[in-house]
Amino acid sequence: MRLMQSVVLVAAGLACAAAALAADRELNVYNWSDYIGETTISDFEAETGIKVRYDVFDSNDILETKLLAGQSGYDVVVPSGNFLARQIQAGAFQALDKSKLQNFDNLSPEIMADVAQAWDPDNSHGIVYMWGTTGIGYNVEKIAERMPDAPVDSLRMLFDPEIVSRFADCGIHVLDAADEVFPAALAYIGEKPDSKDPDVLRKAEPVLMAMRPHIAKFHSSEYINALANGDICLAFGWSGDVFQASDRAVEADNGVEVSYTIPEEGALMWMDMMAIPVDAPNPEAAHLFIDYIMRPKVIAEATNYVYYANANPSSDSMIEPEIREDPAIYPTPEVMQKLYINTPYGRSEQRLINRIWTRVKTGQ
Ligand code: N2P
Protein backbone atom coordinates (compact mmCIF):
# COMPACT_ATOMS: atom_id res chain seq x y z
CA MET A 1 0.00 0.00 0.00
CA ARG A 2 2.74 2.40 0.99
CA LEU A 3 4.65 1.53 -2.11
CA MET A 4 1.60 2.26 -4.26
CA GLN A 5 1.18 5.65 -2.60
CA SER A 6 4.78 6.61 -3.22
CA VAL A 7 4.56 5.53 -6.84
CA VAL A 8 1.47 7.68 -7.30
CA LEU A 9 3.13 10.63 -5.55
CA VAL A 10 6.29 10.38 -7.62
CA ALA A 11 4.26 10.13 -10.83
CA ALA A 12 2.20 13.17 -9.87
CA GLY A 13 5.38 15.07 -9.03
CA LEU A 14 6.89 14.24 -12.39
CA ALA A 15 3.76 15.36 -14.22
CA CYS A 16 3.89 18.68 -12.35
CA ALA A 17 7.54 19.21 -13.16
CA ALA A 18 6.89 18.42 -16.81
CA ALA A 19 4.03 20.92 -16.90
CA ALA A 20 6.22 23.58 -15.27
CA LEU A 21 8.96 22.91 -17.80
CA ALA A 22 6.51 23.19 -20.68
CA ALA A 23 5.25 26.51 -19.30
CA ASP A 24 8.85 27.69 -19.06
CA ARG A 25 9.17 27.02 -22.74
CA GLU A 26 6.13 29.09 -23.69
CA LEU A 27 5.81 32.80 -24.28
CA ASN A 28 2.58 34.71 -24.81
CA VAL A 29 2.97 37.90 -26.82
CA TYR A 30 0.21 40.43 -27.51
CA ASN A 31 1.25 42.96 -30.16
CA TRP A 32 -0.32 45.29 -32.72
CA SER A 33 -1.35 43.73 -36.02
CA ASP A 34 1.00 44.20 -39.01
CA TYR A 35 3.79 45.16 -36.68
CA ILE A 36 6.59 42.58 -36.66
CA GLY A 37 9.27 41.21 -38.98
CA GLU A 38 8.44 38.34 -41.28
CA THR A 39 10.61 35.85 -39.36
CA THR A 40 11.07 37.58 -35.98
CA ILE A 41 8.94 35.08 -34.09
CA SER A 42 10.08 31.93 -35.88
CA ASP A 43 13.76 32.98 -35.54
CA PHE A 44 13.27 33.49 -31.80
CA GLU A 45 11.58 30.11 -31.46
CA ALA A 46 14.33 28.36 -33.41
CA GLU A 47 17.07 29.98 -31.34
CA THR A 48 15.57 29.49 -27.89
CA GLY A 49 13.25 26.51 -28.23
CA ILE A 50 10.56 28.66 -26.62
CA LYS A 51 7.13 28.30 -28.22
CA VAL A 52 5.51 31.69 -28.88
CA ARG A 53 1.76 32.20 -28.82
CA TYR A 54 1.36 35.44 -30.75
CA ASP A 55 -1.92 37.37 -30.67
CA VAL A 56 -2.68 40.76 -32.19
CA PHE A 57 -4.85 43.81 -31.50
CA ASP A 58 -5.37 47.13 -33.24
CA SER A 59 -6.44 49.32 -30.35
CA ASN A 60 -4.89 50.51 -27.09
CA ASP A 61 -8.36 50.47 -25.55
CA ILE A 62 -8.75 46.74 -26.20
CA LEU A 63 -5.33 46.00 -24.74
CA GLU A 64 -6.11 48.16 -21.71
CA THR A 65 -9.39 46.39 -21.00
CA LYS A 66 -7.59 43.04 -20.94
CA LEU A 67 -4.69 44.30 -18.86
CA LEU A 68 -6.79 45.99 -16.22
CA ALA A 69 -9.07 42.96 -15.88
CA GLY A 70 -5.93 41.00 -14.90
CA GLN A 71 -4.93 37.41 -15.71
CA SER A 72 -4.54 38.29 -19.37
CA GLY A 73 -2.13 35.39 -19.69
CA TYR A 74 0.30 37.56 -21.66
CA ASP A 75 4.02 37.85 -20.96
CA VAL A 76 4.78 40.73 -23.31
CA VAL A 77 2.38 43.51 -24.34
CA VAL A 78 2.91 46.66 -26.39
CA PRO A 79 0.86 49.70 -25.25
CA SER A 80 1.58 53.17 -26.60
CA GLY A 81 3.39 55.49 -24.20
CA ASN A 82 0.31 57.43 -23.04
CA PHE A 83 -1.47 54.18 -22.17
CA LEU A 84 1.64 52.66 -20.60
CA ALA A 85 1.83 55.67 -18.26
CA ARG A 86 -1.57 55.14 -16.71
CA GLN A 87 -1.26 51.37 -16.71
CA ILE A 88 1.94 51.75 -14.67
CA GLN A 89 -0.08 53.87 -12.23
CA ALA A 90 -2.69 51.11 -12.07
CA GLY A 91 0.00 48.56 -11.18
CA ALA A 92 -0.42 46.58 -14.39
CA PHE A 93 3.29 45.95 -15.02
CA GLN A 94 6.29 44.54 -13.26
CA ALA A 95 9.54 46.49 -13.22
CA LEU A 96 11.95 45.34 -15.91
CA ASP A 97 14.98 43.46 -14.61
CA LYS A 98 17.69 45.38 -16.48
CA SER A 99 20.33 42.80 -15.51
CA LYS A 100 18.52 40.53 -17.98
CA LEU A 101 18.46 43.14 -20.73
CA GLN A 102 22.03 43.36 -21.99
CA ASN A 103 20.90 45.13 -25.15
CA PHE A 104 19.10 47.91 -23.30
CA ASP A 105 21.99 50.29 -23.98
CA ASN A 106 21.41 49.89 -27.72
CA LEU A 107 18.40 52.17 -27.35
CA SER A 108 18.84 55.86 -28.07
CA PRO A 109 19.54 57.65 -24.76
CA GLU A 110 17.78 60.76 -26.11
CA ILE A 111 14.60 58.89 -26.98
CA MET A 112 14.62 56.98 -23.70
CA ALA A 113 15.07 60.27 -21.82
CA ASP A 114 11.98 61.64 -23.61
CA VAL A 115 10.07 58.49 -22.71
CA ALA A 116 11.12 58.81 -19.05
CA GLN A 117 9.97 62.39 -18.97
CA ALA A 118 6.63 61.80 -20.68
CA TRP A 119 5.43 58.37 -19.58
CA ASP A 120 7.80 56.03 -17.74
CA PRO A 121 9.97 57.65 -15.06
CA ASP A 122 13.45 56.02 -14.95
CA ASN A 123 12.49 53.83 -17.91
CA SER A 124 11.66 51.22 -15.34
CA HIS A 125 8.71 49.51 -17.04
CA GLY A 126 9.08 49.64 -20.81
CA ILE A 127 11.38 49.71 -23.80
CA VAL A 128 10.54 51.43 -27.07
CA TYR A 129 9.58 48.84 -29.67
CA MET A 130 8.78 51.10 -32.61
CA TRP A 131 7.36 54.55 -33.18
CA GLY A 132 5.63 56.55 -35.84
CA THR A 133 3.19 59.30 -36.66
CA THR A 134 -0.55 59.56 -37.26
CA GLY A 135 -1.36 61.27 -40.54
CA ILE A 136 -3.00 61.13 -43.94
CA GLY A 137 -2.95 58.13 -46.25
CA TYR A 138 -4.48 58.56 -49.68
CA ASN A 139 -4.98 57.16 -53.14
CA VAL A 140 -3.05 59.60 -55.32
CA GLU A 141 -5.13 59.17 -58.45
CA LYS A 142 -8.59 59.15 -56.88
CA ILE A 143 -7.91 62.23 -54.80
CA ALA A 144 -6.44 64.12 -57.79
CA GLU A 145 -9.44 63.17 -59.95
CA ARG A 146 -11.83 64.67 -57.44
CA MET A 147 -9.75 67.67 -56.48
CA PRO A 148 -6.59 68.39 -58.47
CA ASP A 149 -5.32 70.90 -55.90
CA ALA A 150 -6.32 68.87 -52.83
CA PRO A 151 -4.39 69.99 -49.74
CA VAL A 152 -3.05 66.47 -49.15
CA ASP A 153 -0.66 67.58 -46.44
CA SER A 154 -3.30 69.35 -44.39
CA LEU A 155 -5.88 68.24 -41.83
CA ARG A 156 -8.38 70.13 -43.99
CA MET A 157 -8.57 66.86 -45.94
CA LEU A 158 -10.55 65.50 -42.97
CA PHE A 159 -11.91 68.41 -40.99
CA ASP A 160 -12.95 70.92 -43.65
CA PRO A 161 -16.46 69.78 -44.66
CA GLU A 162 -16.11 71.44 -48.08
CA ILE A 163 -13.07 69.29 -48.77
CA VAL A 164 -13.73 66.00 -47.01
CA SER A 165 -17.19 65.81 -48.63
CA ARG A 166 -15.54 65.58 -52.05
CA PHE A 167 -13.95 62.25 -51.17
CA ALA A 168 -16.85 60.58 -49.40
CA ASP A 169 -17.83 58.71 -52.57
CA CYS A 170 -14.48 56.93 -52.85
CA GLY A 171 -14.37 55.89 -49.20
CA ILE A 172 -12.78 57.31 -46.06
CA HIS A 173 -11.58 55.45 -42.95
CA VAL A 174 -10.59 57.07 -39.66
CA LEU A 175 -8.76 55.35 -36.80
CA ASP A 176 -10.99 54.21 -33.98
CA ALA A 177 -8.61 55.80 -31.48
CA ALA A 178 -10.11 58.75 -29.61
CA ASP A 179 -6.77 59.60 -27.95
CA GLU A 180 -5.31 60.26 -31.40
CA VAL A 181 -8.25 61.80 -33.24
CA PHE A 182 -9.11 64.37 -30.51
CA PRO A 183 -5.59 65.86 -30.51
CA ALA A 184 -5.76 66.14 -34.31
CA ALA A 185 -9.11 67.94 -34.19
CA LEU A 186 -7.71 70.31 -31.56
CA ALA A 187 -4.55 70.93 -33.60
CA TYR A 188 -6.78 71.78 -36.56
CA ILE A 189 -8.57 74.56 -34.65
CA GLY A 190 -5.32 75.85 -33.17
CA GLU A 191 -5.80 74.44 -29.67
CA LYS A 192 -3.16 72.53 -27.75
CA PRO A 193 -3.44 68.95 -29.05
CA ASP A 194 -2.74 67.36 -25.67
CA SER A 195 -5.09 69.66 -23.77
CA LYS A 196 -6.86 68.20 -20.74
CA ASP A 197 -9.14 71.20 -20.25
CA PRO A 198 -12.75 69.95 -20.55
CA ASP A 199 -13.83 73.18 -22.25
CA VAL A 200 -11.13 72.71 -24.86
CA LEU A 201 -11.88 69.00 -25.29
CA ARG A 202 -15.54 69.86 -25.94
CA LYS A 203 -14.45 72.06 -28.85
CA ALA A 204 -13.36 68.92 -30.70
CA GLU A 205 -16.95 67.65 -30.91
CA PRO A 206 -18.29 70.00 -33.61
CA VAL A 207 -15.11 69.49 -35.66
CA LEU A 208 -15.53 65.71 -35.52
CA MET A 209 -19.28 65.88 -36.10
CA ALA A 210 -18.73 67.93 -39.27
CA MET A 211 -16.43 65.23 -40.62
CA ARG A 212 -18.59 62.33 -39.50
CA PRO A 213 -21.21 62.11 -42.31
CA HIS A 214 -18.44 61.54 -44.84
CA ILE A 215 -16.68 58.70 -43.03
CA ALA A 216 -17.39 55.15 -44.18
CA LYS A 217 -15.80 53.50 -41.16
CA PHE A 218 -13.97 54.12 -37.90
CA HIS A 219 -11.51 51.23 -37.77
CA SER A 220 -7.82 50.86 -37.00
CA SER A 221 -6.50 48.13 -39.28
CA GLU A 222 -8.82 47.48 -42.23
CA TYR A 223 -7.59 50.59 -43.98
CA ILE A 224 -4.32 48.91 -44.95
CA ASN A 225 -5.91 46.48 -47.40
CA ALA A 226 -8.72 48.90 -48.24
CA LEU A 227 -6.19 51.52 -49.40
CA ALA A 228 -4.08 48.89 -51.18
CA ASN A 229 -7.09 47.51 -53.10
CA GLY A 230 -8.47 50.92 -54.00
CA ASP A 231 -11.60 50.30 -51.88
CA ILE A 232 -11.03 53.57 -50.04
CA CYS A 233 -9.23 56.73 -51.14
CA LEU A 234 -8.46 58.43 -47.83
CA ALA A 235 -7.49 57.32 -44.33
CA PHE A 236 -6.46 58.96 -41.11
CA GLY A 237 -4.00 56.32 -40.03
CA TRP A 238 -0.53 55.27 -38.91
CA SER A 239 2.52 56.02 -41.03
CA GLY A 240 3.93 52.51 -41.45
CA ASP A 241 0.50 51.02 -42.12
CA VAL A 242 0.01 53.41 -45.03
CA PHE A 243 3.45 52.51 -46.38
CA GLN A 244 2.51 48.84 -46.07
CA ALA A 245 -0.65 49.60 -48.07
CA SER A 246 1.46 51.24 -50.75
CA ASP A 247 3.77 48.23 -50.79
CA ARG A 248 0.86 45.77 -51.09
CA ALA A 249 -0.53 47.73 -54.04
CA VAL A 250 2.86 47.62 -55.77
CA GLU A 251 3.09 43.90 -55.13
CA ALA A 252 -0.43 43.32 -56.47
CA ASP A 253 0.55 45.41 -59.49
CA ASN A 254 -3.01 46.81 -59.48
CA GLY A 255 -2.14 50.35 -60.53
CA VAL A 256 -3.05 51.82 -57.13
CA GLU A 257 -0.66 54.45 -55.81
CA VAL A 258 -0.87 55.15 -52.08
CA SER A 259 0.92 58.00 -50.37
CA TYR A 260 1.35 59.31 -46.80
CA THR A 261 1.76 62.82 -45.47
CA ILE A 262 2.40 64.37 -42.08
CA PRO A 263 -0.11 67.22 -41.88
CA GLU A 264 1.32 70.72 -41.73
CA GLU A 265 -0.86 71.58 -38.71
CA GLY A 266 1.12 68.98 -36.76
CA ALA A 267 0.89 65.26 -36.09
CA LEU A 268 1.03 62.90 -33.18
CA MET A 269 4.32 61.13 -32.62
CA TRP A 270 3.56 58.00 -30.63
CA MET A 271 5.84 55.31 -29.29
CA ASP A 272 4.84 51.73 -28.60
CA MET A 273 6.43 50.23 -25.52
CA MET A 274 7.13 46.59 -24.71
CA ALA A 275 6.27 45.80 -21.12
CA ILE A 276 5.67 42.75 -18.90
CA PRO A 277 2.31 42.40 -17.10
CA VAL A 278 2.58 42.07 -13.33
CA ASP A 279 0.99 38.59 -13.50
CA ALA A 280 2.90 37.34 -16.58
CA PRO A 281 3.17 33.53 -16.47
CA ASN A 282 6.73 33.56 -17.81
CA PRO A 283 8.66 36.76 -17.03
CA GLU A 284 11.94 34.95 -17.65
CA ALA A 285 11.07 34.27 -21.29
CA ALA A 286 9.56 37.78 -21.56
CA HIS A 287 12.96 39.29 -20.68
CA LEU A 288 14.68 36.99 -23.18
CA PHE A 289 12.26 38.12 -25.90
CA ILE A 290 12.56 41.83 -25.13
CA ASP A 291 16.35 41.54 -25.10
CA TYR A 292 16.20 39.72 -28.43
CA ILE A 293 14.03 42.49 -29.91
CA MET A 294 16.70 45.06 -28.96
CA ARG A 295 19.35 43.30 -31.08
CA PRO A 296 20.21 45.61 -33.98
CA LYS A 297 19.67 42.98 -36.66
CA VAL A 298 16.34 41.80 -35.29
CA ILE A 299 14.80 45.26 -34.97
CA ALA A 300 16.28 46.37 -38.33
CA GLU A 301 14.51 43.48 -40.06
CA ALA A 302 11.24 44.42 -38.36
CA THR A 303 11.60 48.07 -39.40
CA ASN A 304 12.39 47.02 -42.97
CA TYR A 305 9.26 44.88 -43.07
CA VAL A 306 6.68 47.21 -41.48
CA TYR A 307 8.08 50.68 -42.27
CA TYR A 308 8.11 51.95 -38.70
CA ALA A 309 11.12 53.67 -37.16
CA ASN A 310 12.79 52.06 -34.17
CA ALA A 311 14.71 53.61 -31.28
CA ASN A 312 17.86 51.57 -31.80
CA PRO A 313 20.53 53.62 -33.62
CA SER A 314 22.85 50.61 -33.79
CA SER A 315 20.37 49.16 -36.31
CA ASP A 316 20.60 52.17 -38.65
CA SER A 317 23.19 50.72 -41.01
CA MET A 318 20.97 47.67 -41.60
CA ILE A 319 17.85 49.65 -42.47
CA GLU A 320 16.96 50.05 -46.14
CA PRO A 321 18.13 53.53 -47.19
CA GLU A 322 14.69 54.31 -48.70
CA ILE A 323 13.26 53.86 -45.18
CA ARG A 324 16.07 55.36 -43.11
CA GLU A 325 16.16 58.44 -45.34
CA ASP A 326 12.41 58.97 -45.66
CA PRO A 327 11.51 62.00 -43.52
CA ALA A 328 7.96 60.64 -43.13
CA ILE A 329 9.44 57.62 -41.30
CA TYR A 330 12.58 59.04 -39.71
CA PRO A 331 11.57 62.72 -39.47
CA THR A 332 14.24 65.36 -39.98
CA PRO A 333 14.65 67.95 -37.19
CA GLU A 334 12.50 70.26 -39.31
CA VAL A 335 9.62 67.78 -39.54
CA MET A 336 10.12 66.92 -35.87
CA GLN A 337 9.12 70.51 -35.02
CA LYS A 338 5.61 69.73 -36.22
CA LEU A 339 5.16 66.64 -34.06
CA TYR A 340 3.56 66.48 -30.64
CA ILE A 341 3.08 63.71 -28.10
CA ASN A 342 0.10 62.78 -25.96
CA THR A 343 -0.20 62.01 -22.26
CA PRO A 344 -2.94 60.07 -20.48
CA TYR A 345 -6.37 61.54 -19.81
CA GLY A 346 -7.51 61.52 -16.21
CA ARG A 347 -10.64 59.63 -15.23
CA SER A 348 -13.20 62.40 -15.77
CA GLU A 349 -11.57 63.65 -18.97
CA GLN A 350 -11.60 60.10 -20.27
CA ARG A 351 -15.32 59.80 -19.52
CA LEU A 352 -15.97 63.02 -21.41
CA ILE A 353 -13.87 61.83 -24.37
CA ASN A 354 -15.65 58.45 -24.42
CA ARG A 355 -19.08 60.09 -24.42
CA ILE A 356 -18.22 62.42 -27.28
CA TRP A 357 -16.44 59.68 -29.23
CA THR A 358 -19.47 57.39 -29.01
CA ARG A 359 -21.68 60.20 -30.29
CA VAL A 360 -19.28 60.87 -33.14
CA LYS A 361 -19.03 57.23 -34.18
CA THR A 362 -22.78 56.63 -34.05
CA GLY A 363 -23.44 60.00 -35.64
CA GLN A 364 -25.92 61.05 -32.96
C1 N2P B 1 0.62 48.74 -36.54
C2 N2P B 1 0.03 49.83 -35.79
C3 N2P B 1 1.03 50.71 -35.21
C4 N2P B 1 0.74 51.00 -33.83
N1 N2P B 1 -0.35 48.18 -37.40
C5 N2P B 1 0.13 52.30 -33.54
N2 N2P B 1 0.47 52.69 -32.26
Side-chain angles (χ1 to χ4, degrees):
M1 189 57 201
R2 262 217 193 131
L3 183 66
M4 260 316 268
Q5 266 174 354
S6 342
V7 169
V8 169
L9 277 177
V10 169
L14 281 177
C16 260
L21 210 63
D24 266 5
R25 309 312 295 169
E26 253 176 41
L27 175 74
N28 299 284
V29 177
Y30 197 35
N31 192 9
W32 296 84
S33 47
D34 303 290
Y35 208 38
I36 193 134
E38 196 170 16
T39 61
T40 313
I41 296 298
S42 54
D43 290 350
F44 176 79
E45 289 182 323
E47 183 178 310
T48 60
I50 295 172
K51 171 93 196 88
V52 179
R53 187 161 63 82
Y54 187 79
D55 293 339
V56 295
F57 58 87
D58 66 3
S59 146
N60 270 305
D61 301 292
I62 291 176
L63 168 60
E64 181 160 275
T65 304
K66 287 203 187 183
L67 272 179
L68 298 187
Q71 303 295 322
S72 68
Y74 291 113
D75 299 300
V76 175
V77 294
V78 196
S80 302
N82 57 328
F83 278 80
L84 176 94
R86 74 175 176 198
Q87 291 156 1
I88 293 174
Q89 293 294 321
F93 302 117
Q94 48 188 278
L96 296 173
D97 181 345
K98 301 261 177 68
S99 72
K100 295 180 177 147
L101 301 176
Q102 288 167 13
N103 295 321
F104 186 86
D105 291 338
N106 290 345
L107 299 181
S108 152
E110 289 81 25
I111 294 180
M112 291 312 280
D114 290 346
V115 167
Q117 202 187 348
W119 306 307
D120 180 20
D122 301 324
N123 298 126
S124 51
H125 289 84
I127 66 122
V128 176
Y129 174 52
M130 294 204 233
W131 59 278
T133 55
T134 306
I136 296 164
Y138 64 101
N139 179 312
V140 175
E141 191 184 350
K142 289 193 176 174
I143 294 296
E145 269 168 20
R146 285 162 181 78
M147 189 176 180
D149 58 347
V152 290
D153 55 0
S154 165
L155 289 172
R156 288 159 62 210
M157 291 290 283
L158 293 157
F159 299 134
D160 182 340
E162 299 277 302
I163 296 177
V164 68
S165 58
R166 301 220 205 172
F167 311 124
D169 75 300
C170 55
I172 308 174
H173 282 192
V174 169
L175 291 175
D176 184 6
D179 67 301
E180 305 199 25
V181 179
F182 270 72
L186 295 181
Y188 177 70
I189 54 172
E191 294 286 352
K192 191 170 133 226
D194 194 33
S195 177
K196 304 293 188 252
D197 178 342
D199 292 332
V200 174
L201 292 173
R202 279 190 200 97
K203 290 186 187 173
E205 182 165 1
V207 180
L208 298 173
M209 279 300 187
M211 162 186 82
R212 204 269 162 263
H214 312 293
I215 305 306
K217 201 165 203 174
F218 290 87
H219 196 280
S220 301
S221 51
E222 279 182 23
Y223 66 97
I224 306 181
N225 278 335
L227 274 175
N229 299 337
D231 291 342
I232 61 170
C233 59
L234 183 61
F236 186 59
W238 293 310
S239 44
D241 287 11
V242 175
F243 290 111
Q244 288 178 58
S246 159
D247 211 39
R248 287 181 202 180
V250 171
E251 254 162 46
D253 197 16
N254 60 5
V256 171
E257 190 190 339
V258 176
S259 202
Y260 176 78
T261 59
I262 292 176
E264 63 184 6
E265 296 88 347
L268 179 69
M269 174 175 67
W270 44 261
M271 296 192 186
D272 292 331
M273 311 290 303
M274 282 198 167
I276 307 178
V278 66
D279 54 4
N282 197 349
E284 196 64 36
H287 281 90
L288 272 178
F289 183 75
I290 291 175
D291 203 37
Y292 171 82
I293 286 293
M294 292 187 292
R295 285 189 202 166
K297 184 166 178 291
V298 171
I299 196 66
E301 282 173 3
T303 287
N304 284 336
Y305 196 64
V306 296
Y307 299 90
Y308 284 104
N310 66 62
N312 190 326
S314 51
S315 77
D316 281 1
S317 61
M318 286 170 265
I319 296 173
E320 305 283 350
E322 57 154 19
I323 293 177
R324 187 63 189 80
E325 284 155 26
D326 188 335
I329 304 177
Y330 279 90
T332 55
E334 199 189 8
V335 176
M336 214 46 120
Q337 299 287 316
K338 293 195 285 189
L339 305 182
Y340 54 82
I341 62 159
N342 59 359
T343 56
Y345 295 114
R347 202 171 284 216
S348 67
E349 300 141 12
Q350 186 66 60
R351 265 201 303 271
L352 175 63
I353 297 267
N354 291 351
R355 271 201 304 272
I356 299 176
W357 190 235
T358 305
R359 283 203 290 271
V360 169
K361 286 196 292 178
T362 56
Q364 282 153 14

